[in-house]
Amino acid sequence: MPETKRLFRAIGLMSGTSMDAVDAAILTTDGHSHVEPGPSLAIPYPRALRDRVAGELAQAMALTSPRPLPSSLVELERDITAMQADVVNQLLTEADMSAADINVIGFHGQTVAHRPDRGWTLQLGDGALMAAETGIDVVNDFRSADVAAGGEGAPFAPLYHLALAHSMSGYPIAVLNLGGIANVTWIGAADGAAPMAFDTGPANALIDEWALRHTGEPFDHNGALARAGTVDQDVLKSMLKNAYFDRRPPKSLDRLDFSGDAVEHLSDKDGAATLVAFTVESVARALEHLPNAPRQWIVVGGGRRNPVLMGELARRLGVRVIAAEEAGWRGDTLEAEAFAYLAVRSLEGLPLSLPTTTGVSDPMTGGTLHKASTRAA
Protein backbone atom coordinates (compact mmCIF):
# COMPACT_ATOMS: atom_id res chain seq x y z
CA MET A 1 0.00 0.00 0.00
CA PRO A 2 1.24 3.52 -0.72
CA GLU A 3 2.56 5.41 2.29
CA THR A 4 0.09 7.88 3.78
CA LYS A 5 1.74 11.23 4.23
CA ARG A 6 0.97 13.49 7.19
CA LEU A 7 -1.37 16.37 6.52
CA PHE A 8 -0.63 19.81 7.94
CA ARG A 9 -2.89 22.83 8.22
CA ALA A 10 -0.88 25.95 7.42
CA ILE A 11 -1.47 29.66 6.97
CA GLY A 12 0.44 31.42 4.21
CA LEU A 13 1.08 35.17 4.17
CA MET A 14 2.14 37.11 1.12
CA SER A 15 2.59 40.78 0.32
CA GLY A 16 4.18 41.18 -3.08
CA THR A 17 6.17 43.92 -4.75
CA SER A 18 2.98 45.68 -5.84
CA MET A 19 2.09 46.17 -2.14
CA ASP A 20 -1.61 46.33 -2.92
CA ALA A 21 -2.68 43.92 -0.19
CA VAL A 22 -1.61 41.35 2.37
CA ASP A 23 -3.03 37.98 1.36
CA ALA A 24 -3.60 35.25 3.93
CA ALA A 25 -4.79 31.74 3.16
CA ILE A 26 -5.27 28.48 5.01
CA LEU A 27 -4.07 25.36 3.22
CA THR A 28 -4.25 21.70 4.19
CA THR A 29 -1.39 19.86 2.52
CA ASP A 30 1.11 17.05 2.79
CA GLY A 31 3.74 19.17 1.05
CA HIS A 32 3.44 16.95 -2.02
CA SER A 33 0.40 16.68 -4.31
CA HIS A 34 -2.37 16.99 -1.72
CA VAL A 35 -3.42 20.65 -1.62
CA GLU A 36 -6.75 21.68 -0.15
CA PRO A 37 -7.29 25.45 0.02
CA GLY A 38 -9.33 26.73 2.95
CA PRO A 39 -10.53 30.13 4.17
CA SER A 40 -8.64 33.19 2.98
CA LEU A 41 -8.75 36.96 3.06
CA ALA A 42 -6.98 39.95 1.60
CA ILE A 43 -6.40 43.11 3.62
CA PRO A 44 -5.43 46.28 1.71
CA TYR A 45 -1.89 47.35 2.50
CA PRO A 46 -2.15 50.38 4.82
CA ARG A 47 -1.25 53.43 2.76
CA ALA A 48 1.01 54.90 5.43
CA LEU A 49 2.95 51.65 5.76
CA ARG A 50 3.14 51.26 1.99
CA ASP A 51 4.59 54.76 1.73
CA ARG A 52 7.16 53.95 4.39
CA VAL A 53 8.25 50.82 2.54
CA ALA A 54 8.52 52.78 -0.72
CA GLY A 55 10.58 55.41 1.07
CA GLU A 56 13.07 52.82 2.33
CA LEU A 57 13.66 50.96 -0.93
CA ALA A 58 16.63 53.06 -1.98
CA GLN A 59 18.32 52.59 1.41
CA ALA A 60 17.67 48.85 1.30
CA MET A 61 19.14 48.58 -2.20
CA ALA A 62 22.26 50.43 -1.04
CA LEU A 63 23.02 47.94 1.74
CA THR A 64 26.17 45.88 1.39
CA SER A 65 24.61 43.01 3.38
CA PRO A 66 21.05 42.36 4.53
CA ARG A 67 21.74 42.11 8.25
CA PRO A 68 22.10 43.80 10.67
CA LEU A 69 19.41 46.23 9.60
CA PRO A 70 19.70 49.99 10.06
CA SER A 71 17.39 51.31 12.75
CA SER A 72 14.74 52.63 10.37
CA LEU A 73 14.39 49.20 8.77
CA VAL A 74 14.28 47.49 12.19
CA GLU A 75 11.29 49.65 13.08
CA LEU A 76 9.67 49.05 9.70
CA GLU A 77 10.17 45.29 10.03
CA ARG A 78 8.50 45.30 13.44
CA ASP A 79 5.50 47.25 12.15
CA ILE A 80 5.13 45.03 9.05
CA THR A 81 5.20 41.95 11.28
CA ALA A 82 2.65 43.36 13.73
CA MET A 83 0.31 44.31 10.90
CA GLN A 84 0.51 40.86 9.34
CA ALA A 85 0.05 39.16 12.72
CA ASP A 86 -3.23 41.10 12.96
CA VAL A 87 -4.16 39.68 9.55
CA VAL A 88 -3.52 36.13 10.83
CA ASN A 89 -5.68 36.71 13.88
CA GLN A 90 -8.45 38.21 11.76
CA LEU A 91 -8.35 35.19 9.44
CA LEU A 92 -8.59 32.81 12.39
CA THR A 93 -11.57 34.74 13.75
CA GLU A 94 -13.38 34.73 10.42
CA ALA A 95 -12.63 31.00 9.94
CA ASP A 96 -13.83 30.22 13.50
CA MET A 97 -10.46 28.67 14.31
CA SER A 98 -7.84 29.15 16.98
CA ALA A 99 -4.05 29.03 16.92
CA ALA A 100 -4.23 25.42 18.09
CA ASP A 101 -5.88 24.49 14.77
CA ILE A 102 -2.85 25.62 12.75
CA ASN A 103 0.47 23.77 12.53
CA VAL A 104 2.58 26.51 10.95
CA ILE A 105 2.55 29.95 9.36
CA GLY A 106 4.52 30.52 6.17
CA PHE A 107 5.54 34.18 6.55
CA HIS A 108 7.15 35.52 3.38
CA GLY A 109 7.67 39.09 4.60
CA GLN A 110 7.97 42.21 2.48
CA THR A 111 10.74 42.19 -0.12
CA VAL A 112 12.65 45.48 -0.05
CA ALA A 113 15.76 44.40 -1.96
CA HIS A 114 16.57 41.36 -4.06
CA ARG A 115 20.22 41.18 -5.03
CA PRO A 116 21.28 37.64 -5.91
CA ASP A 117 24.11 39.22 -7.93
CA ARG A 118 25.49 40.38 -4.57
CA GLY A 119 24.68 37.10 -2.82
CA TRP A 120 21.70 38.24 -0.75
CA THR A 121 18.01 39.04 -0.66
CA LEU A 122 16.02 40.90 1.99
CA GLN A 123 12.45 40.30 3.08
CA LEU A 124 11.36 42.32 6.11
CA GLY A 125 9.54 40.11 8.58
CA ASP A 126 10.40 39.08 12.14
CA GLY A 127 9.53 35.38 12.43
CA ALA A 128 10.05 35.22 16.19
CA LEU A 129 7.76 38.20 16.72
CA MET A 130 5.12 36.67 14.44
CA ALA A 131 5.24 33.43 16.45
CA ALA A 132 4.91 35.35 19.71
CA GLU A 133 2.01 37.48 18.45
CA THR A 134 0.03 34.54 17.05
CA GLY A 135 1.01 31.60 19.24
CA ILE A 136 1.77 29.57 16.10
CA ASP A 137 5.08 28.17 14.84
CA VAL A 138 6.43 30.25 11.95
CA VAL A 139 8.69 29.54 8.99
CA ASN A 140 10.16 32.61 7.32
CA ASP A 141 13.28 33.67 5.38
CA PHE A 142 12.48 31.26 2.56
CA ARG A 143 14.87 32.63 -0.05
CA SER A 144 18.22 33.17 1.71
CA ALA A 145 19.46 29.58 1.62
CA ASP A 146 18.87 29.40 -2.12
CA VAL A 147 20.75 32.65 -2.77
CA ALA A 148 23.59 31.61 -0.46
CA ALA A 149 23.92 28.39 -2.49
CA GLY A 150 24.22 30.36 -5.74
CA GLY A 151 20.57 30.42 -6.76
CA GLU A 152 18.49 33.39 -7.86
CA GLY A 153 16.18 33.11 -4.85
CA ALA A 154 13.16 33.53 -7.15
CA PRO A 155 10.63 32.60 -8.36
CA PHE A 156 9.53 30.50 -5.37
CA ALA A 157 5.98 29.39 -6.21
CA PRO A 158 6.73 26.89 -9.03
CA LEU A 159 6.55 23.77 -6.86
CA TYR A 160 3.09 24.83 -5.73
CA HIS A 161 2.11 25.49 -9.34
CA LEU A 162 3.28 21.95 -10.10
CA ALA A 163 1.14 20.53 -7.29
CA LEU A 164 -1.93 22.42 -8.52
CA ALA A 165 -1.42 21.35 -12.12
CA HIS A 166 -0.66 17.68 -11.55
CA SER A 167 -4.17 16.53 -12.48
CA MET A 168 -4.62 18.87 -15.45
CA SER A 169 -4.37 18.13 -19.16
CA GLY A 170 -3.18 20.17 -22.12
CA TYR A 171 0.56 20.27 -21.47
CA PRO A 172 2.83 22.14 -21.77
CA ILE A 173 1.21 24.64 -19.39
CA ALA A 174 2.57 28.02 -18.39
CA VAL A 175 1.55 29.62 -15.11
CA LEU A 176 2.05 33.38 -15.40
CA ASN A 177 2.09 35.41 -12.22
CA LEU A 178 1.31 39.07 -12.91
CA GLY A 179 2.19 40.79 -9.67
CA GLY A 180 4.54 43.76 -9.44
CA ILE A 181 7.04 41.61 -11.32
CA ALA A 182 5.95 38.91 -13.77
CA ASN A 183 7.24 35.37 -13.56
CA VAL A 184 6.45 32.23 -15.50
CA THR A 185 6.43 28.57 -14.51
CA TRP A 186 6.65 26.14 -17.44
CA ILE A 187 5.23 22.68 -16.72
CA GLY A 188 5.96 20.19 -19.46
CA ALA A 189 4.10 17.09 -18.27
CA ALA A 190 1.84 15.70 -15.55
CA ASP A 191 4.37 13.15 -14.32
CA GLY A 192 6.09 15.38 -11.78
CA ALA A 193 8.95 16.36 -14.07
CA ALA A 194 10.82 19.43 -12.89
CA PRO A 195 9.19 22.73 -13.85
CA MET A 196 11.16 25.61 -15.33
CA ALA A 197 10.69 29.15 -14.00
CA PHE A 198 12.06 32.67 -14.17
CA ASP A 199 11.06 36.32 -13.93
CA THR A 200 9.98 37.68 -17.32
CA GLY A 201 9.99 41.43 -16.55
CA PRO A 202 7.73 44.05 -14.97
CA ALA A 203 4.04 43.21 -14.70
CA ASN A 204 1.89 45.66 -12.76
CA ALA A 205 4.54 47.70 -10.96
CA LEU A 206 5.20 50.30 -13.66
CA ILE A 207 1.55 50.42 -14.74
CA ASP A 208 0.36 50.91 -11.15
CA GLU A 209 2.89 53.67 -10.50
CA TRP A 210 1.81 55.42 -13.69
CA ALA A 211 -1.87 55.18 -12.77
CA LEU A 212 -1.24 56.48 -9.26
CA ARG A 213 0.65 59.52 -10.52
CA HIS A 214 -1.80 60.36 -13.29
CA THR A 215 -5.16 59.39 -11.79
CA GLY A 216 -4.60 59.18 -8.05
CA GLU A 217 -5.76 55.56 -8.14
CA PRO A 218 -3.40 52.70 -7.18
CA PHE A 219 -4.02 50.85 -10.47
CA ASP A 220 -5.63 51.30 -13.87
CA HIS A 221 -9.23 50.25 -13.21
CA ASN A 222 -10.36 47.80 -15.89
CA GLY A 223 -7.47 49.00 -18.05
CA ALA A 224 -9.49 52.12 -18.89
CA LEU A 225 -6.46 54.39 -19.22
CA ALA A 226 -4.53 51.96 -21.42
CA ARG A 227 -7.59 51.18 -23.54
CA ALA A 228 -7.93 54.86 -24.44
CA GLY A 229 -4.28 55.22 -25.43
CA THR A 230 -2.03 54.31 -28.33
CA VAL A 231 1.20 52.36 -27.99
CA ASP A 232 4.30 54.35 -28.89
CA GLN A 233 6.19 51.73 -30.90
CA ASP A 234 9.51 53.58 -30.78
CA VAL A 235 9.41 53.82 -27.00
CA LEU A 236 8.38 50.18 -26.73
CA LYS A 237 11.29 49.08 -28.92
CA SER A 238 13.72 51.07 -26.79
CA MET A 239 12.43 49.49 -23.59
CA LEU A 240 12.75 46.00 -25.05
CA LYS A 241 16.45 46.54 -25.72
CA ASN A 242 17.15 45.87 -22.04
CA ALA A 243 19.79 43.14 -21.81
CA TYR A 244 17.71 41.25 -19.24
CA PHE A 245 15.45 39.85 -21.94
CA ASP A 246 18.35 38.16 -23.73
CA ARG A 247 19.76 36.58 -20.58
CA ARG A 248 19.13 32.88 -20.36
CA PRO A 249 17.30 31.58 -17.28
CA PRO A 250 17.64 31.19 -14.40
CA LYS A 251 17.14 34.88 -13.79
CA SER A 252 15.22 37.12 -11.43
CA LEU A 253 14.51 40.79 -10.89
CA ASP A 254 14.36 43.35 -8.14
CA ARG A 255 11.43 45.72 -8.02
CA LEU A 256 13.70 48.64 -9.03
CA ASP A 257 15.54 46.97 -11.92
CA PHE A 258 13.19 48.61 -14.44
CA SER A 259 11.82 52.15 -14.53
CA GLY A 260 9.15 53.93 -16.51
CA ASP A 261 11.43 56.81 -17.51
CA ALA A 262 11.05 56.06 -21.21
CA VAL A 263 7.33 56.91 -21.19
CA GLU A 264 7.59 60.11 -19.14
CA HIS A 265 7.04 62.35 -22.17
CA LEU A 266 3.87 60.53 -23.25
CA SER A 267 0.30 61.41 -22.38
CA ASP A 268 -1.31 59.59 -19.48
CA LYS A 269 -3.27 57.34 -21.85
CA ASP A 270 -0.43 56.60 -24.28
CA GLY A 271 1.96 55.97 -21.41
CA ALA A 272 -0.42 53.42 -19.90
CA ALA A 273 -0.95 51.71 -23.26
CA THR A 274 2.80 51.54 -23.87
CA LEU A 275 3.50 50.10 -20.42
CA VAL A 276 0.86 47.41 -20.94
CA ALA A 277 2.44 46.57 -24.29
CA PHE A 278 5.84 46.38 -22.57
CA THR A 279 4.56 43.82 -20.09
CA VAL A 280 2.95 41.79 -22.88
CA GLU A 281 6.05 41.84 -25.08
CA SER A 282 8.33 40.91 -22.19
CA VAL A 283 6.14 37.86 -21.54
CA ALA A 284 6.27 36.98 -25.24
CA ARG A 285 10.07 37.28 -25.18
CA ALA A 286 10.06 34.56 -22.51
CA LEU A 287 9.01 32.08 -25.19
CA GLU A 288 12.57 32.24 -26.52
CA HIS A 289 13.77 30.54 -23.33
CA LEU A 290 11.11 27.84 -22.88
CA PRO A 291 11.69 24.25 -24.03
CA ASN A 292 8.39 24.23 -25.95
CA ALA A 293 5.64 26.78 -26.48
CA PRO A 294 2.86 26.36 -23.90
CA ARG A 295 -0.52 25.23 -25.17
CA GLN A 296 -2.24 27.30 -22.52
CA TRP A 297 -1.36 30.06 -20.05
CA ILE A 298 -2.96 30.28 -16.60
CA VAL A 299 -2.69 33.79 -15.19
CA VAL A 300 -2.55 34.51 -11.47
CA GLY A 301 -1.94 37.75 -9.58
CA GLY A 302 -3.62 41.12 -9.86
CA GLY A 303 -2.83 41.58 -13.54
CA ARG A 304 -5.44 39.00 -14.49
CA ARG A 305 -8.09 41.58 -13.53
CA ASN A 306 -6.91 43.99 -16.22
CA PRO A 307 -8.97 43.08 -19.31
CA VAL A 308 -6.73 45.08 -21.64
CA LEU A 309 -3.63 43.26 -20.42
CA MET A 310 -5.35 39.87 -20.63
CA GLY A 311 -6.71 40.55 -24.09
CA GLU A 312 -3.34 41.66 -25.40
CA LEU A 313 -1.65 38.60 -23.92
CA ALA A 314 -4.13 36.30 -25.66
CA ARG A 315 -3.65 38.15 -28.95
CA ARG A 316 0.14 38.15 -28.75
CA LEU A 317 0.61 34.58 -27.47
CA GLY A 318 -1.94 33.10 -29.86
CA VAL A 319 -3.12 30.34 -27.51
CA ARG A 320 -5.59 29.95 -24.66
CA VAL A 321 -4.94 32.49 -21.89
CA ILE A 322 -7.20 32.08 -18.86
CA ALA A 323 -7.49 33.55 -15.38
CA ALA A 324 -6.72 31.25 -12.47
CA GLU A 325 -10.39 30.87 -11.61
CA GLU A 326 -11.12 29.21 -14.96
CA ALA A 327 -8.64 26.52 -13.96
CA GLY A 328 -10.37 26.09 -10.59
CA TRP A 329 -7.64 27.96 -8.72
CA ARG A 330 -7.86 31.02 -6.45
CA GLY A 331 -5.99 33.77 -8.22
CA ASP A 332 -6.05 36.30 -5.39
CA THR A 333 -4.54 34.08 -2.69
CA LEU A 334 -2.51 31.60 -4.70
CA GLU A 335 0.85 33.05 -3.67
CA ALA A 336 -0.20 33.02 -0.02
CA GLU A 337 -1.21 29.39 -0.45
CA ALA A 338 2.20 28.76 -2.01
CA PHE A 339 4.03 29.94 1.10
CA ALA A 340 1.78 27.84 3.32
CA TYR A 341 2.76 24.89 1.11
CA LEU A 342 6.45 25.80 1.24
CA ALA A 343 6.35 26.16 5.03
CA VAL A 344 5.14 22.56 5.27
CA ARG A 345 7.84 21.43 2.87
CA SER A 346 10.38 23.26 5.04
CA LEU A 347 9.14 21.41 8.13
CA GLU A 348 9.46 18.13 6.25
CA GLY A 349 12.95 18.93 4.95
CA LEU A 350 11.77 18.91 1.33
CA PRO A 351 13.21 21.11 -1.44
CA LEU A 352 11.72 24.57 -1.92
CA SER A 353 13.66 25.36 -5.11
CA LEU A 354 15.26 23.44 -7.95
CA PRO A 355 18.08 23.96 -10.44
CA THR A 356 15.40 24.55 -13.10
CA THR A 357 13.53 27.20 -11.09
CA THR A 358 16.27 29.29 -9.46
CA GLY A 359 19.51 27.91 -10.87
CA VAL A 360 20.67 26.54 -7.54
CA SER A 361 23.12 23.66 -8.09
CA ASP A 362 21.01 21.06 -6.25
CA PRO A 363 17.43 20.93 -4.97
CA MET A 364 17.46 23.24 -1.97
CA THR A 365 15.39 23.27 1.19
CA GLY A 366 15.27 26.40 3.30
CA GLY A 367 13.31 28.59 5.63
CA THR A 368 13.90 29.36 9.30
CA LEU A 369 11.63 27.85 11.96
CA HIS A 370 10.53 29.97 14.93
CA LYS A 371 8.72 27.99 17.61
CA ALA A 372 5.85 29.63 19.46
CA SER A 373 6.66 29.73 23.15
CA THR A 374 3.02 29.16 23.99
CA ARG A 375 0.06 27.93 21.98
CA ALA A 376 -3.04 30.08 22.10
CA ALA A 377 -6.11 28.36 23.49
Side-chain angles (χ1 to χ4, degrees):
M1 295 180 63
E3 179 185 356
T4 301
K5 298 181 176 66
R6 178 187 174 188
L7 292 179
F8 296 77
R9 184 181 286 144
I11 291 177
L13 290 168
M14 184 64 190
S15 51
T17 52
S18 61
M19 292 187 291
D20 54 348
V22 177
D23 298 320
I26 296 174
L27 184 76
T28 301
T29 182
D30 60 1
H32 294 273
S33 60
H34 182 104
V35 290
E36 182 183 342
S40 65
L41 57 75
I43 301 297
Y45 216 97
R47 180 63 182 270
L49 192 57
R50 177 178 177 172
D51 290 345
R52 285 173 60 197
V53 173
E56 295 290 349
L57 291 179
Q59 179 182 205
M61 285 287 287
L63 295 173
T64 56
S65 62
R67 306 280 175 172
L69 293 173
S71 58
S72 62
L73 290 179
V74 170
E75 182 179 350
L76 182 59
E77 181 172 63
R78 184 186 65 241
D79 292 346
I80 287 171
T81 303
M83 179 266 290
Q84 297 203 24
D86 288 343
V87 173
V88 169
N89 291 323
Q90 183 174 335
L91 175 59
L92 290 174
T93 298
E94 293 189 6
D96 195 23
M97 293 180 179
S98 71
D101 296 315
I102 306 296
N103 298 108
V104 66
I105 295 171
F107 178 29
H108 176 268
Q110 181 63 56
T111 297
V112 291
H114 181 64
R115 295 272 53 128
D117 55 320
R118 303 176 193 170
W120 58 271
T121 184
L122 177 58
Q123 288 73 46
L124 294 182
D126 185 330
L129 178 59
M130 176 66 74
E133 290 291 316
T134 61
I136 302 170
D137 293 349
V138 171
V139 173
N140 75 330
D141 195 21
F142 288 91
R143 302 178 189 270
S144 292
D146 181 272
V147 172
E152 289 285 322
F156 247 57
L159 288 175
Y160 186 58
H161 296 159
L162 185 65
L164 286 172
H166 83 280
S167 61
M168 297 183 68
S169 60
Y171 295 90
I173 293 170
V175 182
L176 178 65
N177 176 38
L178 295 178
I181 298 295
N183 56 69
V184 64
T185 300
W186 181 90
I187 302 170
D191 59 4
M196 179 182 182
F198 54 94
D199 288 349
T200 64
N204 302 319
L206 299 181
I207 301 168
D208 290 351
E209 283 182 359
W210 184 264
L212 183 63
R213 284 173 33 223
H214 289 272
T215 71
E217 298 294 333
F219 57 93
D220 184 9
H221 286 278
N222 294 317
L225 203 61
R227 183 182 288 108
T230 300
V231 176
D232 187 308
Q233 295 295 335
D234 291 334
V235 170
L236 177 60
K237 288 177 184 177
S238 72
M239 296 178 78
L240 289 169
K241 289 179 180 177
N242 192 296
Y244 180 80
F245 300 120
D246 294 321
R247 274 179 52 195
R248 295 179 59 83
K251 55 182 180 176
S252 64
L253 289 166
D254 180 82
R255 168 66 184 77
L256 299 180
D257 282 344
F258 282 84
S259 77
D261 291 348
V263 300
E264 284 299 320
H265 65 287
L266 300 180
S267 70
D268 54 355
K269 299 178 180 63
D270 291 352
T274 303
L275 290 173
V276 166
F278 180 50
T279 293
V280 170
E281 289 301 318
S282 64
V283 171
R285 288 286 297 272
L287 289 167
E288 300 170 12
H289 304 298
L290 298 179
N292 302 105
R295 294 174 60 189
Q296 60 179 322
W297 293 71
I298 302 171
V299 183
V300 304
R304 79 192 193 288
R305 297 191 181 280
N306 184 327
V308 175
L309 181 54
M310 290 291 285
E312 287 301 301
L313 281 168
R315 179 193 62 77
R316 180 65 176 83
L317 297 172
V319 295
R320 188 171 183 242
V321 176
I322 62 173
E325 288 73 14
E326 292 185 58
W329 304 355
R330 302 193 306 187
D332 285 328
T333 58
L334 189 140
E335 286 242 316
E337 294 168 20
F339 281 94
Y341 179 78
L342 292 174
V344 171
R345 289 183 67 87
S346 180
L347 293 179
E348 295 286 85
L350 297 168
L352 309 187
S353 57
L354 306 173
T356 54
T357 62
T358 68
V360 71
S361 58
D362 296 293
M364 177 63 58
T365 190
T368 302
L369 175 64
H370 303 269
K371 300 287 288 186
S373 57
T374 59
R375 300 286 289 185

